[in-house]
Amino acid sequence: MAHPIPKFLKKIEERRITVCIVGLGQVGLPTALMFADAGFTVTGYDINEKIVTILNTGKCHFNEPGLNSLLAECVAKKRFRATSDFPKALKEADVVIICVATPLGDNNRPNLDFLKNACGMLVKNPLKDKLIVIESSIPPGTTKNLVVPILNKNRHRVSKDFWVVYIPERLAPGQAIEEIARTARIIGSYDSVGAEMARALYKNVIKNEIVLTDVNVAETSKLVENTYRDVNIAFANEVAGICEELKIDIMEVIRVANTHPRVHVHTPGVGVGGPCIPKDPHLLISPVGGLDAPLNVIPRARQVNEAMPDHFVSLISDALLKKKKSVKGSTILCLGVTYKGNVSDQRDSPAEKVIGSLISQGANVYAYDPFAPGVFNAKRAKSLMEHLKSADAIVILTDHDEFKNADWAKLSKQFKSGAVFADGRRILSPETAKKLKINYIAVGYGS
């Protein structure tokens, strides 16, 4: 039998490789369009027919800089199309890239149902000569212990008739296109043939190093990357509490500490959100007992970061009490409800807990966000300016450019007398706030 790699390489060179992306969310769609932009024919599969219809008109169903124009171009050139007909999409594909969600279920245990369903669809169809790529974040051991056993129920066999690799996504919403192209990628090898095929393909969209390693190492390293950030942020948040007691500014402490060449303290804040950082620590420790495992640092870091929204609300409450007010009955304007700046993604946003807590304590909460579809049961404000004059507290929950670039010197003149400015994302420095005579509070600032 002829070796499959030369044939695969020739199809890549001639741009005859057809790629099928399973799952057209914030990882799957940018991935699909990057391959389409590189000259490959790409079919995107999604179970949601509404999404399929929208995408085939050349319009994106979520906010991501540069994605709309790239999608319109790829659709016009007939390099990308979306479908809900999986068997047809698979039949035409040489490569299948699975980008389905792997959320947390009960007790923060991994819910791999979407991945199981995707593999279940694959196994019902001929897989001869195909390369199957898993990009979803998964617990260590999932490729070997879940994906391969399911796929081996096919009449074609893994590593003999078709190949499986694990290539963790490394993109952040808001910079997806740039990060796919410029960030080094890891290929988790289940066998050498599949790994070499994957490297040859991904070299066409990755302008950085491609690292080959064992599949279990790749699965683990992906989770370690985000868990490192979670732990570091928790450390910063804990030091922030110390700085509040010492009446000094955590940001100045970090600036000074980070001049050391081996120190990189992250930024504290109102909490950690998004689809990755709150989830990946749980995926990492799940094979060794999850939160019940004999581990300390990772579960503790999660607890610290999950507690930050409540801590921030306490800071707001204390600041209002100093002005002879309480949360109950106060008008509070929350600016930003997405988990990070300049994106529409609200998954696990700390804003949900902050707003929920303020409402439960009897506050009259308005929220404005230029990107988000919803405002977590607050009353939607139409602009940053609306309710600014009547607010007892202005609360920054997301660092959108609109807020960072706002003329706060001008806006602060409209603040209600004694209004609290609670800066959960440090869009203002305490020095600037002092000059503007703003009643300023922030995590880690000894006001």
Side-chain angles (χ1 to χ4, degrees), residues 29-49:
L29 184 60
T31 300
L33 297 181
M34 291 299 284
F35 277 106
D37 190 48
F40 297 101
T41 300
V42 181
T43 302
Y45 167 79
D46 201 283
I47 195 171
N48 189 324
E49 293 189 7

Side-chain angles (χ1 to χ4, degrees), residues 227-394:
T227 301
Y228 162 77
R229 296 169 65 198
D230 194 43
V231 171
N232 197 317
I233 293 168
F235 170 71
N237 282 330
E238 193 154 323
V239 174
I242 296 171
C243 290
E244 290 168 13
E245 294 295 323
L246 297 175
K247 305 298 182 185
I248 58 177
D249 186 3
I250 179 67
M251 300 307 291
E252 179 65 5
V253 172
I254 291 173
R255 183 185 74 82
V256 174
N258 282 355
T259 61
H260 192 292
R262 292 180 294 280
V263 173
H264 178 54
V265 181
H266 286 12
T267 304
V270 65
V272 178
C276 296
I277 296 182
K279 178 185 74 172
D280 286 2
H282 292 289
L283 298 186
L284 176 62
I285 62 180
S286 64
V288 290
L291 291 178
D292 296 326
L295 302 171
N296 294 308
V297 174
I298 294 172
R300 171 60 181 157
R302 274 282 76 230
Q303 292 166 2
V304 169
N305 289 336
E306 287 175 356
M308 290 311 295
D310 287 335
H311 176 67
F312 191 53
V313 170
S314 294
L315 293 179
I316 296 169
S317 178
D318 291 345
L320 287 169
L321 285 173
K322 289 178 181 178
K323 298 295 179 179
K324 309 300 182 182
K325 297 180 180 180
S326 67
V327 171
K328 184 176 181 179
S330 290
T331 296
I332 298 179
L333 175 62
C334 293
L335 299 178
V337 297
T338 61
Y339 87 92
K340 63 178 286 189
N342 305 321
V343 303
S344 59
D345 196 338
Q346 295 179 249
R347 284 176 289 180
D348 273 321
S349 174
E352 182 173 14
K353 290 183 179 179
V354 172
I355 290 172
S357 178
L358 292 171
I359 291 174
S360 70
Q361 293 182 54
N364 183 28
V365 182
Y366 294 90
Y368 167 67
D369 193 300
F371 296 96
V375 290
F376 297 128
N377 296 318
K379 301 168 187 174
R380 182 183 287 277
K382 297 177 182 178
S383 70
L384 186 159
M385 298 287 293
E386 191 177 19
H387 307 294
L388 197 63
K389 294 180 180 180
S390 61
D392 297 294
I394 297 95

Side-chain angles (χ1 to χ4, degrees), residues 102-328:
T102 51
L104 295 177
D106 294 338
N107 299 317
N108 289 318
R109 302 295 295 176
N111 179 353
L112 301 178
D113 287 349
F114 295 114
L115 179 61
K116 291 177 184 177
N117 291 341
C119 292
M121 289 191 303
L122 282 170
V123 80
K124 295 176 183 177
N125 298 271
L127 298 177
K128 179 70 173 173
D129 296 332
K130 298 186 188 299
L131 174 66
I132 312 298
V133 180
I134 311 298
E135 283 207 10
S136 305
S137 297
I138 50 180
T142 299
T143 302
K144 287 185 176 180
N145 300 326
L146 186 148
V147 173
V148 169
I150 292 175
L151 296 183
N152 265 334
K153 295 176 182 178
N154 192 276
R155 59 189 174 91
H156 299 123
R157 307 293 288 178
V158 175
S159 299
K160 178 183 177 183
D161 303 308
F162 67 98
W163 299 270
V164 174
V165 295
Y166 177 69
I167 305 179
E169 56 86 8
R170 272 181 164 178
L171 63 84
Q175 300 131 325
I177 295 174
E178 180 181 351
E179 291 202 350
I180 288 175
R182 303 298 176 190
T183 305
R185 292 298 288 273
I186 311 300
I187 294 180
S189 172
Y190 185 76
D191 60 65
S192 60
V193 173
E196 288 300 329
M197 293 167 76
R199 177 158 63 177
L201 178 66
Y202 274 72
K203 279 168 61 176
N204 292 274
V205 295
I206 306 300
K207 310 305 178 187
N208 202 325
E209 182 181 12
I210 295 178
V211 180
L212 266 61
T213 187
D214 173 76
V215 66
N216 285 351
V217 172
E219 292 169 340
T220 306
S221 68
K222 160 63 181 177
L223 305 176
V224 166
E225 292 166 15
N226 283 328
T227 301
Y228 162 77
R229 296 169 65 198
D230 194 43
V231 171
N232 197 317
I233 293 168
F235 170 71
N237 282 330
E238 193 154 323
V239 174
I242 296 171
C243 290
E244 290 168 13
E245 294 295 323
L246 297 175
K247 305 298 182 185
I248 58 177
D249 186 3
I250 179 67
M251 300 307 291
E252 179 65 5
V253 172
I254 291 173
R255 183 185 74 82
V256 174
N258 282 355
T259 61
H260 192 292
R262 292 180 294 280
V263 173
H264 178 54
V265 181
H266 286 12
T267 304
V270 65
V272 178
C276 296
I277 296 182
K279 178 185 74 172
D280 286 2
H282 292 289
L283 298 186
L284 176 62
I285 62 180
S286 64
V288 290
L291 291 178
D292 296 326
L295 302 171
N296 294 308
V297 174
I298 294 172
R300 171 60 181 157
R302 274 282 76 230
Q303 292 166 2
V304 169
N305 289 336
E306 287 175 356
M308 290 311 295
D310 287 335
H311 176 67
F312 191 53
V313 170
S314 294
L315 293 179
I316 296 169
S317 178
D318 291 345
L320 287 169
L321 285 173
K322 289 178 181 178
K323 298 295 179 179
K324 309 300 182 182
K325 297 180 180 180
S326 67
V327 171
K328 184 176 181 179

